[in-house]
Structure formats: C-alpha cells, structure tokens
Amino acid sequence: MPPCSRRQALATLAAAAAGAIVPGRTWAAGRAGSRALHFAHLHTGEKLAVEYCTAGSYVPEALGAVNTLLRDFRTGDVHTIDPALLDLLYDLQECSGATRPFEVISGYRSPQTNAMLRRRSHGVAGGSLHMQGQAIDIRVGDVSLASLHRAALSLRQGGVGYYPASNFVHVDTGRVRTW
C-alpha cells in the first residue's frame, strides 16, 4: 500500500488546521464525524472495537475502555491515553487501508516497566512517551509492516519508529521524528 495520497494528506492537514485555529476546541471537535478503532492486544488476548469519537466529540466511556485495554499489561496500571494518539491511529488506518484490528504490542508503560525494559534493551528511551500514554507499538494483519511504516511517516503527526526484526511500528504524538 503506498503512502497517503496528496488529497488525503491535505485533508488531514486542513482538519488539523481547522481544529487549531478555534480557541478552546479539541482536536476531535475540529473534525466532523465519528471515528472507530479495533484493537487486539497480543499479550492479554483482549479485543476492543470502539467508537471513541461521535459527531466530533470524544466519548468518555470509550476512552476509558481504551485506557483499560492499553494498560501496562505487566503491572496492571491504567493510565489516560492521549486522544490525539487515537486520532493518529484512525488516520493511519485510513491512510494504510487497514481493515483488520491494530495488534497491540505495547501501549502505556509504567515507569517501573519502562525501567525494566530499558535495562534489557538499548532501544527503550528513558523518557519514553509510552509512560505518558502518548505512544503505541503496533502492527496490522492486512497491511505489511513496511507499508504501515511508510503510511505512518506520510502522516507526519509525531514520532515513528520502525522495528522490522521485532515486527512492529512505533507511533507517538511527540514531535515529528523517525528512527
């Protein structure tokens, strides 16, 4: 699957700009319509199909369900997931043509889990955005990892890490950067 078309990219940028120029409006409020995501957590076996935004407004109960699903599966700690991360995933789903659920490798990570993973691997950041609920490691069953990576890069909505040896792509809502 190729990266987003110019039209898709411009539509995404226009929606972002519309939401940004109206004081007090959320990212969701700046975008019309409803948005849904499907997740399959690879470590817990849990699945979630959720409409997290309806008529341009985030749905608190749906956000709570996402927070629970994306909890630190090692400790059970639940943390608020940045709704902008969900919007990024929605845009990634649209851009990549994905129809299968996002397979979750890692969502929120507690500081204790992050420190443990950091001791085991050089690829884990000390100030990881996973600890802020602003990052997720994913793959999708009907989109090649390389295509998912290219689609994430084309969005330019935050950080994108490519881990082909571990079979996942990292996306976050931090500054635009790649590794």
Side-chain angles (χ1 to χ4, degrees), residues 105 139 145-146 161-169:
I105 289 89
R139 62 180 177 242
L145 200 65
Y162 187 46
Y163 298 89
S166 299
N167 195 23
F168 71 86
V169 172

Side-chain angles (χ1 to χ4, degrees), residues 2 11 13 27 51 57 62 69 71 99 104 109 116 121 151 157 168 178:
L13 289 172
W27 171 246
E51 185 173 301
S57 296
L69 179 84
R71 70 189 177 278
T99 60
V104 178
R109 278 190 244 162
M116 178 270 297
S121 172
Q157 291 184 23
F168 71 86
T178 63

Side-chain angles (χ1 to χ4, degrees), residues 3-27:
C4 286
S5 70
R6 178 180 161 93
R7 182 176 295 167
Q8 288 170 309
L10 289 173
T12 298
L13 289 172
I21 61 173
V22 180
R25 292 183 66 166
T26 65
W27 171 246

Side-chain angles (χ1 to χ4, degrees), residues 40-76:
H41 201 296
L42 299 180
H43 296 285
T44 66
E46 295 169 288
K47 296 180 182 188
L48 177 65
V50 64
E51 185 173 301
Y52 72 94
C53 183
T54 302
S57 296
Y58 293 119
V59 179
E61 298 80 19
L63 295 179
V66 170
N67 295 344
T68 299
L69 179 84
L70 298 182
R71 70 189 177 278
D72 183 330
F73 68 91
R74 291 174 179 90
T75 66

Side-chain angles (χ1 to χ4, degrees), residues 70 81-90 133-136 171-173:
L70 298 182
I81 300 299
D82 182 2
L85 182 62
L86 302 181
D87 290 333
L88 187 160
L89 289 173
Y90 180 82
Q134 295 178 295
I136 190 167
V171 294
D172 66 50
T173 59

